Amino acid sequence: MTFRFKISLLAAALVSVSPVQAQDNVLNLYSARHYQTDEVLYSNFTKQTGIQINRIEADDAVLMERLRNEGKNSPADVILLVDAARLWRAQVEGMFQPVKSKVLEERIPANLRGGDEGQGAQWFGLSTRARVIVYNKVRVKRDEVAAYESLADPVNKGKVCTRSGSHPYMLSLIGAMIERNGEAATEKWAQGMVANFARPPQGGDTDQIKGVASGECGVALVNSYYYARLLRSTKSEDREMMNKVGFVWPNQEGAGTHINVAGGAVAKNARQRDAAVKFLEYLASDDAQAYFANGNNEWPVVSSAVVKNPVLQQMGKFKTENVSITAIGKNQVSAQKILDRVGYK
């Protein structure tokens, strides 16, 4: 039996788990992935293995708070989170257990795995998404927003929109910038961003695209799969909106575009550890990896996976930054301090 909860923080802490979850052929999945397309992934795993999936679905922060409250009594076997900052935080708080798997070690690149002290990685990246720049084709010249650093340039004063600086997507980008450019340069960039805001940071990534299309914003930062999802939309209003915006793979003449990761781990107190590892190995299979791309507009982390997503192909290839996901996670505290100092809400 598969079930799905979209729950508030309080509900997440109180919902109980049914006795059936103790059976050997049932896997308890705590997932921050909220994509309907993932239903096929889970059902295919059950078809292949006979292992049923009980799923609790909520925001990363809600799931992590639930895990803290449950402690050693947590029924979670597998945890899926969708940002480097949160994966790092969960690792630091001891929510995961190390996994030694030849399949995962051969298929998942080392820079997309969590800490390993000789007993196996704490978590494994399963898909990636890029932080791209979206701009209004009428208000903004493409070459004036070619890099993340360009958004802090005075030429873009009154044009920049982002979601909250403290959102993990932004913290991960800033963590990567700290790793590449150092804290002083990153703080100067953050000051420039604040000076260039068209409006206070607000909303999600889709809201940023809408703001750019409407002309309220000239330029914005968004995750690539939001942009791709709207490009694939058959709704006339979405098509009209996307005709007004363009996008940039940032920093192609320099360090490359920032990449974030969605990843999975075996829960610290997993009762079905073998099934949990089998599930992570399944998510690293060519078929599952291709589905991340074709179903949800993400990029697979396994090089042999075949991508048949016309929008991703249309967006083209790009240079990615070479920054360790672990390093991005470790820079989260410094990133937040920078945001606080410059008033980036």
Side-chain angles (χ1 to χ4, degrees):
M1 176 178 67
T2 300
F3 61 89
R4 178 178 182 178
F5 291 154
K6 287 194 174 181
I7 42 185
S8 67
L9 177 58
L10 179 59
L14 296 177
V15 171
S16 62
V17 183
S18 62
V20 71
Q21 295 178 335
Q23 297 178 4
D24 290 341
N25 67 336
V26 177
L27 184 72
N28 295 323
L29 171 63
Y30 282 22
S31 177
R33 294 181 62 88
H34 50 80
Y35 319 121
Q36 291 183 351
T37 51
D38 284 0
E39 298 284 353
V40 176
L41 282 174
Y42 304 142
S43 61
N44 284 347
F45 175 73
T46 298
K47 289 176 183 177
Q48 291 180 23
T49 65
I51 299 172
Q52 301 291 317
I53 296 178
N54 282 338
R55 184 163 95 255
I56 291 177
E57 196 173 88
D59 177 81
D60 303 66
V62 173
L63 291 178
M64 291 171 67
E65 185 63 22
R66 177 177 180 132
L67 287 162
R68 293 183 191 106
N69 292 336
E70 291 173 339
K72 293 188 293 185
N73 296 320
S74 176
D77 295 310
V78 174
I79 303 168
L80 299 182
L81 301 176
V82 293
D83 178 80
R86 285 164 170 164
L87 284 162
W88 176 81
R89 172 54 59 190
Q91 175 186 315
V92 169
E93 292 190 26
M95 294 180 179
F96 305 150
Q97 62 173 281
V99 171
K100 272 285 188 184
S101 164
K102 184 178 180 180
V103 171
L104 293 170
E105 289 167 3
E106 288 180 348
R107 298 182 69 80
I108 308 297
N111 69 314
L112 298 180
R113 302 181 212 152
D116 186 343
E117 297 181 355
Q119 296 177 305
Q122 292 278 334
W123 54 264
F124 297 87
L126 298 169
S127 63
T128 62
R129 56 280 295 271
R131 199 74 178 151
V132 302
I133 292 173
V134 175
Y135 66 95
N136 183 287
K137 292 178 179 178
V138 174
R139 288 191 62 194
V140 172
K141 296 179 181 178
R142 191 177 189 279
D143 61 1
E144 292 178 344
V145 291
Y148 299 116
E149 291 79 4
S150 304
L151 303 191
D153 192 286
V155 72
N156 288 311
K157 189 172 182 63
K159 298 177 184 178
V160 176
C161 289
T162 74
R163 65 194 308 161
S164 168
S166 294
H167 189 278
Y169 293 167
M170 289 300 299
L171 286 174
S172 291
L173 170 62
I174 295 168
M177 294 182 76
I178 290 172
E179 193 68 17
R180 292 198 322 262
N181 304 328
E183 289 191 28
T186 302
E187 182 163 342
K188 184 177 180 181
W189 171 83
Q191 289 174 335
M193 289 285 284
V194 171
N196 286 351
F197 282 157
R199 64 185 185 193
Q202 59 188 261
D205 282 10
T206 300
D207 297 310
Q208 311 314 315
I209 297 172
K210 290 179 178 179
V212 170
S214 72
E216 179 183 11
C217 314
V219 61
L221 289 165
V222 303
N223 270 2
S224 54
Y225 73 92
Y226 288 97
Y227 186 84
R229 182 187 297 164
L230 287 169
L231 280 181
R232 294 181 77 174
S233 175
T234 58
K235 296 179 180 179
S236 59
E237 59 267 31
D238 289 341
R239 289 182 176 276
E240 182 180 354
M241 177 174 67
M242 296 309 285
N243 285 334
K244 298 176 181 178
V245 304
F247 88 100
V248 174
W249 297 121
N251 296 69
Q252 293 302 283
E253 299 300 319
T257 297
H258 169 65
I259 292 294
N260 208 331
V261 64
V266 175
K268 180 179 180 179
N269 299 299
R271 292 164 175 77
Q272 307 296 344
R273 189 182 191 281
D274 291 346
V277 173
K278 186 177 293 187
F279 181 65
L280 292 180
E281 291 175 343
Y282 159 76
L283 293 179
S285 68
D286 279 5
D287 287 347
Q289 285 285 298
Y291 200 79
F292 284 125
N294 302 329
N296 198 50
N297 307 302
E298 300 169 90
W299 281 277
V301 298
V302 174
S303 59
S304 56
V306 178
V307 176
K308 296 181 179 179
N309 184 323
V311 167
L312 292 186
Q313 293 170 344
Q314 174 187 332
M315 291 174 72
K317 296 182 178 180
F318 61 101
K319 176 183 177 181
T320 63
E321 68 182 6
N322 184 25
V323 177
S324 164
I325 296 296
T326 299
I328 291 173
K330 289 179 178 178
N331 288 336
Q332 297 305 293
V333 174
S334 297
Q336 187 61 65
K337 288 180 179 178
I338 285 173
L339 292 170
D340 292 342
R341 287 196 295 266
V342 303
Y344 196 138
K345 303 298 184 182

